[in-house]
Amino acid sequence: MRLLVVEDDKDLAGQLRRALSDAGYAVDLAGDGEEGHFLGDTEPYDAVILDLGLPILDGITVLRRWREDGRNMPVLILTARDRWSDKVSGIDAGADDYLGKPFHMEEMLARMRALLRRTAGHASNEIQCGALRLDIAAAKVSLDGRLVNLTALEFRLLSYLMHHQGKVISRTELVEHLYEQDFDKDSNTIEVFIGRLRRKTKADLIETVRGLGYRLTVADEV
Ligand code: CA
C-alpha cells in the first residue's frame, strides 16, 4: 500500500511518515498544496492524508479538484481542533474521514487501516485467503495458524495481493503501489519478491496470469 501525506508542518510530516513506514506502508510527502495536488493527480495512491491549512493551495481546493477530476482514492483530512466547520467543508469536498489536531498516531493508523480495508471491500481487520490470514492491525501474516516471517517489502506485497484477492494485478500496478516516489523502480524485482513469497507461503496461492500479472486465489474446497 502506498500513501501520500500532504502536510506543511515538517515535524508532523516526519512523524506521520515514520509511523506509517513502521506500519508497513510506502509513504510520499508533499509540503504544499500544489505539489500535493500534482502527486495525487498523477500517482495511484491507495490513500491520502491531507492537511487543510497548506501553502500555495489549501487542502479543500486540492481535494475538490481531485474529486472533480475523478480521483477517488480515500482521503483523511487533518483539521485544527474544534474547527467543526472545517470538518463539514472537508467532508462535503469529498473527504472520507478526518482527524483533529493534535491526534495520537495510533488513532491515525487505525483510521488509515479502516479506510484501506473498506476501500478494498473488507469489513474486518482480518483478511483470509485459504490458509493465509492477514491481521491488518498487527501487520502480520500467518499460514495455518503459524506466523510467516516477512520483510517489510514482502509484507507490503502480500498485503496488497490479499486486500485485492481474486483480482489480476499487473506488475506495473504492484510497482506503483509498493514503492515510494524516489525509489529506483524496477518491475523485475517484483518477480523476485513473488518467488520469495511463494517459498514462504503455499506455493500455489499466488498464480501467475501469463502476460497480465499475478492473482492471489483460493483453490476450490474439495
Ligand atoms: Ca498546515
Side-chain angles (χ1 to χ4, degrees):
M1 299 283 175
R2 182 176 169 210
L3 311 177
L4 172 64
V5 173
V6 191
E7 169 60 71
D8 59 317
D9 177 333
K10 284 206 168 62
D11 287 343
L12 181 56
Q15 288 166 26
L16 284 164
R17 167 179 251 174
R18 225 169 6 256
L20 291 164
S21 301
D22 288 349
Y25 304 105
V27 186
D28 291 343
L29 291 183
D32 64 64
E34 191 176 44
E35 189 194 3
H37 174 261
F38 174 76
L39 284 175
D41 207 31
T42 50
E43 299 286 328
Y45 293 104
D46 294 293
V48 177
I49 293 183
L50 177 67
D51 184 31
L52 292 188
L54 292 166
I56 306 180
L57 211 57
D58 68 274
I60 296 283
T61 307
V62 170
L63 183 53
R64 208 169 269 139
R65 286 191 191 169
W66 281 337
R67 294 318 192 207
E68 279 165 10
D69 293 337
R71 307 290 302 169
N72 61 0
M73 64 285 195
V75 174
L76 170 68
I77 52 171
L78 303 180
T79 65
R81 198 159 59 113
D82 297 335
R83 287 286 297 273
W84 65 269
S85 54
D86 280 359
K87 294 167 194 164
V88 173
S89 355
I91 290 166
D92 280 343
D96 299 274
D97 199 0
Y98 67 84
L99 262 177
K101 293 179 182 179
F103 52 84
H104 289 282
M105 286 296 157
E106 285 304 322
E107 182 178 359
M108 179 279 293
L109 289 171
R111 288 182 183 275
M112 187 47 72
R113 289 192 290 268
L115 276 185
L116 291 168
R117 68 162 195 257
R118 279 204 303 264
T119 306
H122 301 281
S124 98
N125 250 342
E126 291 206 343
I127 299 179
Q128 186 113 22
C129 180
L132 266 187
R133 180 196 293 264
L134 168 67
D135 179 339
I136 300 174
K140 289 189 182 341
V141 176
S142 58
L143 179 70
D144 289 322
R146 244 168 297 170
L147 208 63
V148 185
N149 202 356
L150 300 169
T151 64
L153 210 84
E154 288 166 0
F155 174 79
R156 213 179 279 163
L157 174 52
L158 188 55
S159 167
Y160 191 83
L161 290 173
M162 289 188 79
H163 271 83
H164 303 280
Q165 60 182 282
K167 295 184 192 129
V168 179
I169 314 280
S170 71
R171 268 203 266 175
T172 314
E173 179 174 346
L174 285 173
V175 167
E176 284 174 340
H177 290 268
L178 298 185
Y179 295 117
E180 287 161 10
Q181 196 199 5
D182 42 11
F183 195 86
D184 183 17
K185 293 168 190 143
D186 176 2
S187 68
N188 290 318
T189 58
I190 294 292
E191 220 167 85
V192 176
F193 285 115
I194 292 280
R196 286 190 203 156
L197 282 179
R198 281 182 172 141
R199 283 192 292 278
K200 290 184 177 185
T201 60
K202 289 199 170 165
D204 55 349
L205 277 175
I206 304 172
E207 179 193 353
T208 301
V209 184
R210 198 179 289 274
L212 295 175
Y214 303 97
R215 178 167 50 196
L216 189 69
T217 44
V218 191
D220 287 337
E221 306 276 342
V222 183

